[in-house]
Amino acid sequence: MAQRLALQRLLSLPTRGPLASHGRAFGTSAGRRSTFNVQDGSDFQDRVVNSPKPVVVDFHAQWCGPCKILGPRLEKLVAKLEGKVLMAKVDIDDHTDLAIEYEVSAVPTVLAMKNGDVVDKFVGIKDEDQLEAFLKKLIGA
Amino acid sequence: GKNEYDLLVIGGGSGGLACAKEAAQFGRKVAVLDYVEPSPQGTTWGLGGTCVNVGCIPKKLMHQAALLGSALKDAQHYGWNISQPVHHTWSVMAQGVQNYVKSLNWGHRVQLQEKKVKYFNIKGSFSDPHTIRGLTKAGKETVVTADNIVIATGGRPKYPMHVPGALEYGITSDDLFWLKKSPGKTPLVYYSYIVFIKIIVYICLIRVSPDVSLECAGFLTGIGLDTTVMMRSIPLRGFDQKKQICFTTQQQMASLVTEHMESYGTKFLKRCFPTKVEKLKSDRLQVTWKNADLDKEETDSFNTVMWAVGRAPDTKTLNLETVGVKTNSETGKIIVDASEATSVPHIYAVGDITEGRPELTPTAIAAGKLLAQRLFGQSSELMDYDSVPTTVFTPLEYGCVGLSEEAAVQRHGSDNIEVYHAYYKPLEFTVAQRDATQCYMKMVCLREREQRILGLHFIGPNAGEVIQGFALGIKCGATYPQMMKTVGIHPTCAEEVTKLHITKRSGLDATVTGC
């Protein structure tokens, strides 16, 4: 799968598959546009790897307590940025291969992705100040 | 040509994963195949095998849930103001347990990745002694070749196929731990009282030890469900000579455990066997059975019928005949020698799938690791299956290590054996006014000079924790005089082991009193 992604980027292939046609977003009205749940591998490819805007990827799990705290906290801050950054949520039980591919071992793991590359990352819970700095760096850099 | 992998393990359970990870430590190219065929009821689960998903882990957690229920009842005597009766919500417990199991599935997946073991979620079967053909859930085919292959596919619960309705309407332990709703109707919202939920667990005690069924019936009763255990026969006198697992068909210990369950509300239908299961309009299940003692047919309705009639090795779809791996004609399990080798060179087997081995996680893990060390690590150490301690997690737990009394008599003759025993009362039971009638322990020793301890059996709270330490002593060849010289920790239940002095032979009353 990693090879396919690399190859696609190399050949600059156009995005394939339905564009976020069945993506579920939630949160505030601003959040509704900027946060979505990844549906499958090609959805990740379309909306994260090939995203023109930087994307924050939140790898989480049902059974992970800290994830339930970090998720909403991060969403709120992403929503405040009014579309400058998008947030993709990946349930690692539903998308195990994707999580393994991106070397997730513990959850929550959050990746900052720009132009298909992982430019930043953190594992575990962070407070609002830390998250704001993380997001600022992603937009600024 | 050259085989793709140095080692291919079929089965991602306790034995399989341990073997694979150990082999990878030696820098070998290793792959694991894991696939869960959904149960007849459609239940499925992730990586980790029986123990993690439908065995030890969820069972112990639900046992704990039941114990907490008892603790809540005791709490009043200790001064806590808790309004009785206290109710239990299955879905809350189930979600907690299932979430933890899922975190273990993930943990195993990460470990394989970290140790550079390739993982395939495919159902494998042999094409030739070094080639496995695998099918994904979607039906896509993959072919994998390896120098060495380890079969560790474990077992699945059996169904009493001769009972009409058994397959369609009954569940097994595979399903019980994954139920989202209580194994009975959830209380109907528009009634002002709780609908009683009735479950029946049928166990057939001819060849198997009753632990899974009694453990499940135990915690189901403990969380407040109306539970009945039907058994074809009462626990047998005999024992399985080959296995020599201390708890196998130990009549005395099994009857104490079931006596305790009976006094705490589990109903028992002894010497009965089911003849059919039918579904009623109300969605309840009508079970009809033959009562051997009264020689008549009886019937009753239940919300859930659970079968606990033993486990069958998962070998049917492996295509073992093609490569010539020999299995035991009666049990279907794979025959292995002391080095876990099958009848075919370079093909091995570990865990529940193997004939004559205990169906336990720790032995599977140890055997898997040692096998990898022998294959790739220049070791010659074989797995020692002697004196394997174990525990049955019934409401009153039964832990043991070493020989059963019957096995010791068979091996050495009753004249050469001394059995020390005692009935005791855990201190915690006193204030709580709990009945300790079945709290019992016995130690089987050789009678000659050294008086080596052959086996230790303990029924009581935390039996597993108690027996673990003594297992080391027995492994080291501890003797009765050494045990008597060991000072007990006070006040504990375990200390009573160090004070055992009344022999069965003397016929004296074995009830000990506290200090």
Side-chain angles (χ1 to χ4, degrees):
Chain A
M1 168 118 183
Q3 283 178 324
R4 180 163 71 85
L5 290 175
L7 195 63
Q8 280 186 331
R9 266 185 272 141
L10 190 66
L11 301 176
S12 301
L13 289 171
T15 57
R16 281 185 295 122
L19 275 170
S21 55
H22 49 283
R24 255 187 311 124
F26 45 86
T28 62
S29 49
R32 195 160 285 133
R33 277 176 283 126
S34 51
T35 305
F36 58 91
N37 285 316
V38 171
Q39 300 299 304
D40 54 37
S42 52
D43 188 35
F44 188 83
Q45 183 62 7
D46 296 339
R47 291 202 282 172
V48 179
V49 178
N50 293 336
S51 167
K53 299 232 178 75
V55 184
V56 152
V57 187
D58 175 17
F59 287 91
H60 64 98
Q62 285 262 32
W63 38 262
C64 162
C67 298
K68 300 200 202 301
I69 299 172
L70 181 73
R73 195 180 280 171
L74 190 54
E75 267 170 69
K76 193 180 80 181
L77 295 172
V78 166
K80 271 191 0 205
L81 295 173
E82 293 172 333
K84 289 204 202 75
V85 176
L86 299 179
M87 176 161 156
K89 293 185 65 116
V90 180
D91 182 323
I92 62 169
D93 286 333
D94 293 336
H95 310 291
T96 308
D97 289 340
L98 187 60
I100 293 285
E101 193 194 323
Y102 280 86
E103 296 175 349
V104 176
S105 50
V107 276
T109 288
V110 174
L111 302 181
M113 292 190 67
K114 209 172 203 174
N115 301 320
D117 294 322
V118 178
V119 297
D120 205 351
K121 159 178 177 170
F122 70 82
V123 180
I125 260 202
K126 293 269 182 264
D127 63 37
E128 285 201 18
D129 292 334
Q130 293 170 313
L131 292 178
E132 264 179 8
F134 179 80
L135 292 169
K136 247 199 194 90
K137 191 166 157 221
L138 176 58
I139 314 173
Chain B
K2 191 85 184 31
N3 290 312
E4 277 174 85
Y5 292 94
D6 295 311
L7 177 70
L8 174 62
V9 178
I10 312 177
S14 303
L17 292 178
C19 187
K21 290 187 287 193
E22 188 72 12
Q25 304 266 71
F26 293 107
R28 295 299 178 146
K29 208 161 170 234
V30 185
V32 167
L33 268 53
D34 188 62
Y35 188 85
V36 180
E37 190 69 49
S39 74
Q41 295 298 335
T43 311
T44 186
W45 49 86
L47 180 62
T50 297
C51 173
V52 164
N53 295 288
V54 287
C56 333
I57 301 294
K59 181 247 331 254
K60 185 89 192 285
L61 289 171
M62 293 197 175
H63 168 62
Q64 175 65 3
L67 289 179
L68 288 170
S70 299
L72 285 172
K73 291 199 189 88
D74 289 351
Q76 288 195 121
H77 296 279
Y78 281 92
W80 289 98
N81 299 315
I82 302 176
S83 50
Q84 303 281 343
V86 187
H87 295 291
H88 181 267
T89 305
W90 174 275
S91 54
V92 174
M93 172 186 72
Q95 179 151 77
V97 172
Q98 288 156 19
N99 278 348
Y100 178 64
V101 171
K102 286 186 188 157
S103 75
L104 292 180
N105 298 142
W106 167 253
H108 280 300
R109 188 77 182 80
V110 168
Q111 274 199 334
L112 289 183
Q113 184 73 10
E114 282 170 2
K115 299 211 191 276
K116 305 206 191 345
V117 174
K118 183 89 175 104
Y119 164 73
F120 294 96
N121 183 213
I122 61 178
K123 194 174 174 71
S125 61
F126 281 92
S127 303
D128 71 49
H130 292 281
T131 312
I132 295 291
R133 187 176 152 264
L135 283 175
T136 65
K137 216 179 307 197
K140 181 169 156 246
E141 193 180 295
T142 312
V143 174
V144 192
T145 58
D147 286 348
N148 301 281
I149 297 178
V150 175
I151 306 169
T153 50
R156 296 295 290 266
K158 289 200 262 203
Y159 275 78
M161 295 305 287
H162 57 284
V163 177
L167 193 62
E168 302 93 296
Y169 306 123
I171 64 167
T172 64
S173 55
D174 275 0
D175 311 293
L176 183 67
F177 301 114
W178 291 96
L179 293 177
K180 298 262 184 293
K181 291 212 278 262
S182 178
K185 292 197 176 73
T186 47
L188 298 169
V189 172
Y190 51 88
Y191 279 90
S192 59
Y193 59 90
I194 307 286
V195 173
F196 277 105
I197 293 150
K198 284 175 75 179
I199 306 169
I200 183 161
V201 179
Y202 173 65
I203 64 181
C204 168
L205 289 176
I206 307 245
R207 298 210 76 89
V208 303
S209 15
D211 24 299
V212 169
S213 44
L214 292 182
E215 286 170 332
C216 290
F219 72 71
L220 289 170
T221 307
I223 61 174
L225 303 178
D226 180 349
T227 311
T228 304
V229 175
M230 185 189 293
M231 37 171 84
R232 193 185 184 104
S233 59
I234 49 177
L236 300 173
R237 280 211 90 86
F239 75 104
D240 185 325
Q241 189 158 24
K242 257 192 285 184
K243 274 191 190 168
Q244 275 169 5
I245 301 166
C246 48
F247 61 76
T248 307
T249 63
Q250 278 234 68
Q251 188 184 24
Q252 184 186 24
M253 309 315 263
S255 58
L256 284 169
V257 162
T258 51
E259 234 179 73
H260 179 269
M261 285 173 67
E262 247 173 321
S263 68
Y264 275 79
T266 305
K267 303 195 183 100
F268 281 85
L269 288 170
K270 295 176 187 163
R271 287 147 85 90
C272 297
F273 56 91
T275 50
K276 65 177 173 206
V277 180
E278 297 158 297
K279 193 155 200 178
L280 300 171
K281 272 205 204 82
S282 61
D283 254 7
R284 281 169 79 101
L285 300 169
Q286 183 86 6
V287 181
T288 309
W289 66 88
K290 180 84 183 286
N291 185 319
D293 285 339
L294 304 175
D295 194 31
K296 66 181 179 103
E297 255 198 5
E298 293 175 324
T299 186
D300 199 354
S301 71
F302 301 87
N303 298 94
T304 301
V305 174
M306 181 179 135
W307 306 112
V309 295
R311 296 179 72 82
D314 205 349
T315 52
K316 271 183 241 57
T317 53
L318 283 173
N319 217 4
L320 294 179
E321 314 76 40
T322 305
V323 289
V325 170
K326 290 206 175 73
T327 57
N328 178 297
S329 52
E330 242 186 87
T331 63
K333 292 190 177 184
I334 297 177
I335 298 169
V336 292
D337 65 17
S339 66
E340 330 299 350
T342 66
S343 52
V344 179
H346 306 298
I347 299 181
Y348 305 84
V350 291
D352 287 4
I353 198 84
T354 50
E355 177 62 38
R357 308 289 197 223
E359 287 184 359
L360 297 169
T361 281
T363 49
I365 292 175
K369 279 201 180 129
L370 289 172
L371 174 61
Q373 286 168 11
R374 289 193 304 272
L375 287 174
F376 307 112
Q378 271 97 48
S379 163
S380 54
E381 192 187 339
L382 297 175
M383 176 63 191
D384 181 4
Y385 289 99
D386 237 7
S387 298
V388 171
T390 180
T391 296
V392 183
F393 294 99
T394 35
L396 196 61
E397 299 172 9
Y398 166 36
C400 61
V401 57
L403 299 181
S404 64
E405 188 179 333
E406 293 93 332
V409 165
Q410 195 89 347
R411 220 188 250 195
H412 302 279
S414 54
D415 284 339
N416 297 316
I417 297 291
E418 197 72 88
V419 180
Y420 300 90
H421 67 155
Y423 285 92
Y424 68 97
K425 185 162 191 166
L427 180 65
E428 294 79 2
F429 281 30
T430 54
V431 170
Q433 294 173 23
R434 278 230 252 166
D435 180 19
T437 313
Q438 293 87 23
C439 291
Y440 175 80
M441 60 180 75
K442 71 176 170 182
M443 189 157 66
V444 183
C445 306
L446 279 175
R447 233 174 149 193
E448 47 84 348
R449 269 169 315 137
E450 253 191 1
Q451 297 171 272
R452 190 162 53 91
I453 303 170
L454 300 172
L456 180 62
H457 305 264
F458 177 94
I459 295 183
N462 309 302
E465 307 292 353
V466 170
I467 289 292
Q468 181 70 90
F470 288 114
L472 172 64
I474 293 195
K475 197 102 185 154
C476 296
T479 64
Y480 180 75
Q482 283 173 324
M483 182 68 89
M484 290 305 106
K485 284 214 186 79
T486 308
V487 181
I489 300 170
H490 186 71
T492 62
C493 297
E495 65 173 309
E496 299 300 335
V497 176
T498 66
K499 299 191 262 170
L500 284 166
H501 62 282
I502 297 163
T503 63
K504 272 199 179 181
R505 181 172 271 115
S506 70
L508 296 168
D509 175 17
T511 310
V512 296
T513 49
C515 61

